[in-house]
Amino acid sequence: MADPKPKRSVPLPTLNVKKDLKSMMYTSSKKTAPAASTTASSRLAVPPTTKSTSATIHTRIGKNGLPVIKSNGARKSATPNRNLSRTSSSEPREIIRNGKASRSSRSSPAVHSPQFGPDSDEEDDTEPRRKRRRMNGHAEDKKRKIRDAGSFSNDDPRPYDIVHALDIANNTIQKHGTFQFAEYFTTLASNEDDSPTIELQYPCIGMTEKYQLVKPNDKTDFKPLDEIRENMKIVREFYLDTDTAEKIEPEGGFGGGLIEQLDRYARDTRPGAQTHFMEVIQEYNELLAIKRDDGTLVRKIDEMTSPLPLKLVNHIIKEQVYSRTISPYIDTVREYEGFSDNVYGELLPKFLSRIFQETHLTSDQIFVDLGSGVGNCVLQAALEIGCESWGCEVMANPAKLAQAAAQEFPSRCRMWGIKPGRVQIIQDDFRTNQQIGDVLKQADVVLVNNQAFNPDLNDVLKRMFLDLKEGCKIVSLKYFRDPNHKVKESNINDLVNCLSVQKKERFSGMVSWTDDPGNWYLHIKDSAELLAVRKRMERGQQGS
């Protein structure tokens, strides 16, 4: 049993990643994007801000400290926008080959955005949260403090270092000479602006996010209006009392509510629909500010239990962090050497939740992902469980994206009022990195997606596991110790003798490279069997 007392002898360097991803994203256009944030401009390829040639929305601070939307009255056109075309691109697919190719493949988990309309979430919205939590079988971690107190304090000095939705979806972005986004509302009244920018309130105090009302020309790209809607649904489900939740969306989704109004105005092709849509956003912002001021948001967060619900975790990581820092550059992770150890593939959120459950990972423990790719496993452990979470990735492009995600991650969590575990992403070879070597000695759970690792690399890992503490759990997709292996005198020096192993079933849809079911393996550093055999050998030698 791992010692529950937190251990921090391994230094945790502060993330200060200044990324230049311009060569990996879009080219700038002749248009000028509305200003979002100075921090985001250094992290994403967003054209520099100058005086816009198209109308924008200005704001002033109104009651409850919220931005009040105000139009400058400019109007571009009352006719539908130009039709911009582009060649549709399929979602990135990575097939990890080992001998023969898998029979079926699936795309990376967060390349697209949720659809604006009926829910596409992996979990049934009508199923009570309490029931879902019982079904996942993970014991509640009473030691974890979920709420980030600074999220609700005006005295918190930490800046919000985020990539705004405006930075990745605006009507100035081009790729291969084609505009990627177009005006959402195309039939405008005389006092309506072309592609205005709105601000959306989050549970935290003092931070809103900027969205431009545009739509992608490629349906797989980020959809700002969809995310606005999903934000409201997440707030409704996890942050509000029953009466207020009904104002956002009545139970069953019928009978009015702000979300239904958004859907109606988003479909409306008449002049004035855009203004009505923005008025609904303003009403939502004011409602959320009232519930923050009366203590509802803090109370609901304090009622949350750890592990956090997967639906909330997915929204923060997959739909927000991933969509801003990884999805725009997802093609770069395909630059690997085929049939080598450097093959990219992801374990999907439901599978990771099961791994956390089976390993009994808790907030006072340390999680390490060896070969962490774009860091999705590292971030999910830090948010869902609240534990200290490390990742090491040797390939440059996935590691660079993981570091960008790790920089976005803390502010995103704070906007939702949640305190995650510490995150550290390292770009290096985990076989030789000293920091990884040190943290492995303290690790409680080690994840190794060794689906495509060659035998030599797996042998190196077996030697590294000798330094793990007793009770440390190792999760892998291929076994290090054969489940049929028996420790005996003839193999007494085998490196895997200090491990126990359990074969587990992996259901369909648990990994990014195939829909097929399979197996995974839970090893535990446990020298009891080896010591027992050695004692028998010693007794035999003494008796002879």
Side-chain angles (χ1 to χ4, degrees):
M1 188 74 179
D3 182 0
K5 184 178 180 180
K7 297 170 280 296
R8 294 290 184 271
S9 62
V10 178
L12 287 172
T14 303
L15 282 172
N16 185 20
V17 184
K18 294 299 182 182
K19 296 159 293 297
D20 181 12
L21 301 177
K22 292 183 179 180
S23 61
M24 300 164 65
M25 192 184 176
Y26 306 117
T27 58
S28 62
S29 72
K30 293 182 180 179
K31 293 184 180 181
T32 303
S37 62
T38 56
T39 55
S41 63
S42 66
R43 297 163 59 188
L44 289 168
V46 178
T49 302
T50 60
K51 184 176 180 181
S52 177
T53 57
S54 61
T56 59
I57 289 294
H58 303 287
T59 61
R60 61 179 177 81
I61 302 301
K63 62 180 180 178
N64 302 316
L66 285 167
V68 177
I69 299 171
K70 182 180 179 182
S71 169
N72 63 6
R75 176 183 183 235
K76 182 177 180 180
S77 174
T79 60
N81 64 309
R82 64 187 182 281
N83 293 321
L84 300 175
S85 62
R86 59 163 288 173
T87 303
S88 297
S89 59
S90 60
E91 294 184 10
R93 298 174 183 269
E94 299 300 340
I95 304 298
I96 293 184
R97 301 175 177 85
N98 182 35
K100 62 181 180 179
S102 175
R103 292 191 299 273
S104 63
S105 63
R106 62 184 290 132
S107 61
S108 189
V111 178
H112 59 83
S113 300
Q115 296 299 312
F116 196 95
D119 288 334
S120 59
D121 201 276
E122 297 167 0
E123 298 183 58
D124 184 1
D125 280 349
T126 62
E127 185 180 10
R129 278 186 292 146
R130 213 169 277 162
K131 181 178 178 183
R132 287 200 298 269
R133 195 174 297 123
R134 285 199 301 268
M135 289 174 62
N136 71 22
H138 202 149
E140 180 181 342
D141 182 359
K142 296 182 181 297
K143 299 182 295 293
R144 182 181 180 185
K145 302 299 182 184
I146 294 176
R147 175 164 55 91
D148 188 325
S151 297
F152 301 94
S153 171
N154 287 313
D155 299 325
D156 192 330
R158 295 172 295 172
Y160 285 96
D161 184 14
I162 69 164
V163 179
H164 284 261
L166 170 65
D167 296 319
I168 61 167
N170 64 70
N171 60 3
T172 71
I173 295 175
Q174 288 189 59
K175 188 176 183 181
H176 306 308
T178 302
F179 285 104
Q180 300 299 290
F181 294 89
E183 296 81 0
Y184 191 94
F185 294 92
T186 57
T187 306
L188 305 176
S190 60
N191 63 340
E192 290 184 321
D193 299 333
D194 177 44
S195 298
T197 297
I198 62 99
E199 295 189 29
L200 187 70
Q201 180 67 49
Y202 278 74
C204 69
I205 192 170
M207 182 61 191
T208 58
E209 180 163 15
K210 296 180 180 180
Y211 292 80
Q212 191 176 59
L213 300 186
V214 293
K215 59 186 176 183
N217 292 311
D218 182 334
K219 293 183 179 180
T220 65
D221 284 343
F222 178 78
K223 302 177 181 66
L225 274 67
D226 285 2
E227 185 176 275
I228 291 171
R229 183 181 189 275
E230 287 302 309
N231 272 15
M232 294 169 66
K233 289 180 73 68
I234 290 293
V235 168
R236 177 201 181 277
E237 181 169 355
F238 297 104
Y239 289 81
L240 297 178
D241 57 273
T242 302
D243 291 342
T244 309
E246 291 287 306
K247 296 178 181 178
I248 303 296
E249 184 177 49
E251 193 67 33
F254 301 103
L258 298 182
I259 290 178
E260 190 276 333
Q261 292 178 48
L262 281 185
D263 289 347
R264 184 170 68 249
Y265 293 132
R267 294 190 299 265
D268 195 340
T269 59
R270 294 172 297 179
Q274 176 178 273
T275 296
H276 292 312
F277 186 95
M278 295 165 65
E279 288 172 348
V280 174
I281 298 298
Q282 185 66 20
E283 184 177 351
Y284 168 79
N285 285 347
E286 293 177 356
L287 180 62
L288 195 57
I290 290 171
K291 304 316 292 183
R292 185 182 61 232
D293 292 344
D294 71 11
T296 298
L297 303 184
V298 167
R299 177 173 56 82
K300 295 298 288 186
I301 294 173
D302 288 342
E303 290 174 359
M304 293 181 183
T305 58
S306 184
L308 291 178
L310 183 57
K311 184 174 183 179
L312 176 59
V313 172
N314 269 351
H315 183 72
I316 296 173
I317 296 177
K318 175 181 171 183
E319 308 300 345
Q320 295 204 311
V321 174
Y322 201 114
S323 68
R324 287 156 175 76
T325 61
I326 296 173
S327 291
Y329 322 102
I330 195 66
D331 287 344
T332 67
V333 304
R334 297 194 295 182
E335 298 173 8
Y336 61 83
E337 180 183 352
F339 303 98
S340 72
D341 300 320
N342 296 332
V343 177
Y344 179 70
E346 293 181 359
L347 309 187
L348 300 185
K350 286 193 291 186
F351 186 24
L352 289 172
S353 281
R354 185 178 173 197
I355 288 172
F356 302 154
Q357 170 193 337
E358 297 269 0
T359 57
H360 307 289
L361 185 62
T362 56
S363 60
D364 57 353
Q365 294 184 331
I366 297 175
F367 172 82
V368 181
D369 185 2
L370 299 178
S372 52
V374 297
N376 59 309
C377 303
V378 177
L379 299 188
Q380 185 169 335
L383 180 55
E384 184 175 343
I385 305 300
C387 62
E388 182 179 323
S389 196
W390 290 70
C392 187
E393 173 57 49
V394 69
M395 290 193 293
N397 286 344
K400 190 172 186 177
L401 298 182
Q403 289 168 343
Q407 182 165 320
E408 176 87 1
F409 177 70
S411 291
R412 280 285 155 191
C413 293
R414 199 149 51 91
M415 290 168 71
W416 289 97
I418 295 173
K419 185 176 182 179
R422 290 291 302 273
V423 168
Q424 178 66 24
I425 302 287
I426 296 173
Q427 181 187 345
D428 203 358
D429 189 332
F430 59 68
R431 296 172 293 187
T432 57
N433 184 272
Q434 185 61 49
Q435 275 186 296
I436 293 299
D438 291 341
V439 78
L440 281 174
K441 295 174 184 178
Q442 300 181 35
D444 298 283
V445 176
V446 177
L447 173 63
V448 185
N449 180 2
N450 62 338
Q451 179 71 31
F453 285 5
N454 62 39
D456 290 341
L457 182 53
N458 281 325
D459 286 342
V460 170
L461 285 165
K462 293 174 187 177
R463 289 193 290 273
M464 293 175 66
F465 295 158
L466 295 176
D467 292 330
L468 299 177
K469 66 184 181 183
E470 286 290 299
C472 178
K473 301 176 179 70
I474 306 160
V475 173
S476 61
L477 271 66
K478 289 183 177 179
Y479 60 75
F480 292 100
R481 173 175 172 165
D482 190 320
N484 298 316
H485 176 82
K486 302 295 182 183
V487 181
K488 49 191 176 182
E489 186 174 354
S490 61
N491 64 13
I492 194 67
N493 293 319
D494 196 317
L495 295 173
V496 300
N497 287 342
C498 64
L499 302 176
S500 64
V501 62
Q502 301 173 48
K503 182 179 179 179
K504 304 281 187 177
E505 185 178 3
R506 170 171 57 78
F507 301 112
S508 175
M510 292 290 193
V511 296
S512 67
W513 58 89
T514 181
D515 278 321
D516 294 342
N519 298 314
W520 62 283
Y521 299 87
L522 175 57
H523 301 78
I524 301 177
K525 178 70 179 294
D526 182 359
S527 304
E529 184 182 3
L530 175 61
L531 294 175
V533 173
R534 286 191 182 278
K535 286 182 178 180
R536 289 200 301 269
M537 290 172 58
E538 291 172 1
R539 287 196 298 267
Q541 292 172 356
Q542 291 171 358
S544 61

